[in-house]
Amino acid sequence: MANYSANQFKNGLKIMLDGDPCTMTDVEFVKPGKGQAFTRVKMRNLITGRTWEKTFKSNESAEGADVMDRDMEFLYFDGEMWHFMEPASFEQYAADKNAVGDSHQWLKEQDRCMITLWNDNPISVTPPNFVELEVTETDPGLKGDTAQGGSKPATLSTGAVVRVPLFVEVGDVLRIDTRTGEYVSRA
Amino acid sequence: MTSEHWRPSAPIDNLRRRAEILGRIRSFFAHRDVMEVDTQQLSHRAVSDPFIDSIEAQFRPTPESPAQSLYLQTSPEYAMKRLLAAGAGAIYQLGKVFRNGEVGGRHNPEFTMLEWYRPGLDDFALMDEVEALVAAVLPGFAPERLSYRTLFERELGIDPHRASLTQLQAVCRNHLDADFEDDSRDTWLNLLMSHVIEPRLEGGVFVHDFPASQSALARVREDATGTRVAARFELFIDGMEIANGYHELTDSAEQARRLEADQRCRSELGLPQRPLETRLVASLEAGLPECAGVALGVDRLVMLALGTRSIRDVIAFPFDLA
């Protein structure tokens, strides 16, 4: 991979640090009127998820990381690995528990997800911002209470548990915001 | 590129307030009988400071002639000192300066600098005047004053003049992930100042008596403890560097030594060697009056007056739109 010098750093650039691919989420040029220029970068480790700030001298450089984001279709879970396919090439990728993380609770077959590949291996899975999932278990709905605030837990087809309004019943299909894990509406 | 790409980044109302502030600065100096000067932006000589990079311009007597390198001025300091030595008296300049590579939230490679010189004043007396000027733009401005040493002792518990290179590195690495090597104490002091201390500074703070190694063009004197310190101050407001001033060096031999030392440092760091401003040395030889001078970042002052943290809000067309 290419080397990048500190003056080429920008948001979204991926570099290798201590053997892990990391992405830059904020890059700031810091230069006292007199004295050396520094580049202060908010970094996120793409393997561990750790975020922190790192400071570089302007003449430092870093090795680029072979990381790319691809849109893929979720195929199935085999009990151990989650399988995805790139629709254009039919190329298949298997992601393990570390890569999928908490996203597993939003994965529905045939939904489009964003898969981050490092050296061609999935390291993270981002579900669509909104998914539609069926309720498999919840307390009976309370008729005529639609205007009232109250909420109750509901279990969805993927196993996810979300807070839903009292009128929701088993078999309803719900629209969920995967970024917050919150109920949006009935689909 | 959208079709809106022609638009200024700053709202017109911000530019109107900026214009008002420039007017207030000019009337401040008119009332104090300080003459406005307007020296060259394009020079045959470049700044010596290793950490300030001049933008080169190509001059050709005719379009087909070989080019000659000229330099856009990074500050009007050299030219203004030549005027002072020629008997100009108190002078100020309000205009554009250029610094290569400096692009960021608080930086634009072309920015507006206010620089002024006061014969007969020292750095402390000039701080009073900087305070008055800033108060004319930011009502109620009442900065505190403390020495570089007091600031480091208060914030980090170390004496910046005596701490060893190893100690400074250790303190830095306690606060920051900065795993590069550097054998200059000043790099670590600058890192602590800009990354750890500056963001903590609230309101206005004058920091004075800098380490002698950071004297730039300030004279060096002994402080009350017998430590050699630079007669230099900086003003920070809400954690942002606003102004940098000196009780100016008038010793021509020392000035020549500093220019040469900068040039050696540039060569060690693999930085371009550029023609030194030897006419500055000649003007000091002829006699620069005892004076204090200061440079103040006007865009940042406007940012403070308007309550924004982005330079894009106070200049019409920043670098990417220029």
Side-chain angles (χ1 to χ4, degrees), chain A residues 27-162:
Chain A
V27 178
E28 196 185 350
F29 175 72
V30 181
K31 168 81 173 73
K34 303 282 172 189
Q36 284 242 12
F38 302 103
T39 305
R40 182 166 52 201
V41 185
K42 284 205 180 94
M43 306 279 336
R44 185 160 53 84
N45 184 313
L46 291 169
I47 302 293
T48 64
R50 180 171 94 97
T51 60
W52 81 107
E53 260 185 16
K54 187 172 174 65
T55 299
F56 298 84
K57 278 201 293 189
S58 54
N59 60 358
E60 276 189 281
S61 63
E63 185 199 342
D66 183 8
V67 170
M68 58 184 81
D69 293 330
R70 301 259 201 90
D71 275 330
M72 295 190 201
E73 188 180 308
F74 174 52
L75 297 178
Y76 62 95
F77 174 54
D78 68 9
E80 190 182 350
M81 305 288 275
W82 286 259
H83 296 266
F84 297 87
M85 181 181 72
E86 192 164 35
S89 62
F90 303 108
E91 224 176 318
Q92 291 194 19
Y93 291 85
D96 64 12
K97 195 168 65 181
N98 288 331
V100 175
D102 290 340
S103 298
H104 72 86
Q105 58 183 337
W106 310 122
L107 294 180
K108 194 176 76 178
E109 287 167 15
Q110 283 156 35
D111 272 359
R112 286 291 182 94
C113 302
M114 192 181 70
I115 310 298
T116 304
L117 299 174
W118 172 42
N119 295 335
D120 223 29
N121 290 310
I123 53 169
S124 85
V125 172
T126 311
N129 289 344
F130 297 98
V131 291
E132 292 180 358
L133 298 170
E134 190 182 329
V135 177
T136 55
E137 203 183 319
T138 190
D139 290 339
L142 294 172
K143 295 288 181 209
D145 200 18
T146 53
Q148 289 301 320
S151 69
K152 61 180 180 177
T155 307
L156 308 178
S157 54
T158 55
V161 177
V162 294

Side-chain angles (χ1 to χ4, degrees), chain A residues 17-18 28-40 50 52-57 59-60, chain B residues 49 51-52 99 101-103 107 177-182 187 190-191 194-195 216 232 241 244 246:
Chain A
L17 287 174
D18 300 326
E28 196 185 350
F29 175 72
V30 181
K31 168 81 173 73
K34 303 282 172 189
Q36 284 242 12
F38 302 103
T39 305
R40 182 166 52 201
R50 180 171 94 97
W52 81 107
E53 260 185 16
K54 187 172 174 65
T55 299
F56 298 84
K57 278 201 293 189
N59 60 358
E60 276 189 281
Chain B
D49 190 322
F51 300 119
I52 299 180
R99 296 188 179 186
E102 304 195 2
V103 184
H107 295 268
D177 178 5
D179 56 12
F180 51 78
E181 296 301 323
D182 198 300
T187 296
N190 277 324
L191 194 58
S194 60
H195 283 62
R232 172 183 166 197
E241 187 186 15
N244 178 42
Y246 310 135

Side-chain angles (χ1 to χ4, degrees), chain B residues 106-144:
Chain B
R106 300 173 176 186
H107 295 268
N108 197 61
E110 170 185 1
F111 63 100
T112 300
M113 182 178 270
L114 167 65
E115 184 150 333
W116 79 96
Y117 290 86
R118 281 294 209 166
L121 297 193
D122 67 5
D123 43 335
F124 287 92
L126 187 58
M127 275 188 247
D128 294 340
E129 191 163 59
V130 173
E131 188 173 332
L133 182 278
V134 173
V137 176
L138 307 176
F141 178 65
E144 60 172 331

Side-chain angles (χ1 to χ4, degrees), chain B residues 161 210-216 220 228-230 258:
Chain B
H161 302 288
F210 273 66
S213 54
Q214 296 178 29
S215 56
V220 172
R228 286 169 56 76
V229 296
R258 290 192 194 176

Side-chain angles (χ1 to χ4, degrees), chain B:
Chain B
M1 302 284 128
T2 69
S3 57
E4 294 288 277
H5 208 62
W6 58 272
R7 286 189 177 279
S9 63
I12 299 298
D13 193 49
N14 285 8
L15 298 178
R16 192 169 289 119
R17 291 174 69 188
R18 177 188 175 100
E20 264 166 35
I21 291 169
L22 296 182
R24 224 174 295 166
I25 291 171
R26 287 205 160 89
S27 86
F28 178 90
F29 288 112
H31 283 109
R32 292 176 177 233
D33 224 5
V34 180
M35 172 171 74
E36 177 162 10
V37 296
D38 191 9
T39 63
Q40 73 278 13
Q41 294 186 326
L42 194 59
S43 171
H44 292 87
R45 310 290 167 86
V47 70
S48 64
D49 190 322
F51 300 119
I52 299 180
D53 191 28
S54 301
I55 295 179
E56 278 191 41
Q58 303 300 316
F59 175 81
R60 290 182 176 81
T62 67
E64 304 79 27
S65 313
Q68 178 192 354
S69 283
L70 297 185
Y71 305 91
L72 293 175
Q73 292 300 274
T74 58
S75 113
E77 180 160 15
Y78 297 159
M80 291 180 81
K81 286 182 175 168
R82 289 163 68 188
L83 288 177
L84 287 160
I91 49 177
Y92 79 97
Q93 179 149 203
L94 181 56
K96 288 287 168 63
V97 296
F98 302 83
R99 296 188 179 186
N100 219 352
E102 304 195 2
V103 184
R106 300 173 176 186
H107 295 268
N108 197 61
E110 170 185 1
F111 63 100
T112 300
M113 182 178 270
L114 167 65
E115 184 150 333
W116 79 96
Y117 290 86
R118 281 294 209 166
L121 297 193
D122 67 5
D123 43 335
F124 287 92
L126 187 58
M127 275 188 247
D128 294 340
E129 191 163 59
V130 173
E131 188 173 332
L133 182 278
V134 173
V137 176
L138 307 176
F141 178 65
E144 60 172 331
R145 293 185 186 189
L146 57 172
S147 70
Y148 195 88
R149 170 188 277 140
T150 310
L151 184 63
F152 271 69
E153 284 174 345
R154 184 182 84 181
E155 297 295 332
L156 301 167
I158 52 169
D159 179 344
H161 302 288
R162 299 217 159 75
S164 67
L165 178 67
T166 331
Q167 275 175 301
L168 293 174
Q169 280 178 355
V171 177
C172 259
R173 289 179 177 154
N174 269 339
H175 287 87
L176 303 169
D177 178 5
D179 56 12
F180 51 78
E181 296 301 323
D182 198 300
D183 57 10
S184 154
R185 287 177 81 258
D186 285 322
T187 296
W188 299 101
L189 288 171
N190 277 324
L191 194 58
L192 287 170
M193 188 69 165
S194 60
H195 283 62
V196 184
I197 297 179
E198 247 184 73
R200 294 183 191 171
L201 297 178
E202 286 170 13
V205 183
F206 277 111
V207 181
H208 55 80
D209 289 5
F210 273 66
S213 54
Q214 296 178 29
S215 56
L217 299 188
R219 63 182 66 195
V220 172
R221 62 166 178 245
E222 286 192 357
D223 71 4
T225 69
T227 307
R228 286 169 56 76
V229 296
R232 172 183 166 197
F233 66 86
E234 289 219 62
L235 171 62
F236 298 90
I237 304 179
D238 292 342
M240 186 157 61
E241 187 186 15
I242 298 297
N244 178 42
Y246 310 135
H247 193 194
E248 302 291 346
L249 180 67
T250 50
D251 176 342
S252 62
E254 172 61 15
Q255 181 62 68
R257 276 195 293 277
R258 290 192 194 176
L259 290 179
E260 293 299 338
D262 277 353
Q263 198 72 306
R264 274 197 306 281
C265 177
R266 284 179 159 269
S267 134
E268 283 158 18
L269 295 172
L271 298 169
Q273 300 280 297
R274 301 228 163 99
L276 294 173
E277 185 48 285
T278 48
R279 293 165 300 186
L280 172 68
V281 179
S283 70
L284 265 56
E285 248 162 51
L288 179 70
E290 299 287 313
C291 64
V294 61
L296 182 149
V298 173
D299 308 287
R300 291 186 182 176
L301 187 62
V302 177
M303 284 162 66
L304 289 164
L306 271 60
T308 172
R309 301 300 280 184
S310 170
I311 199 167
R312 301 178 67 81
D313 293 339
V314 301
I315 51 184
F317 300 107
F319 187 56
D320 60 312
L321 300 178

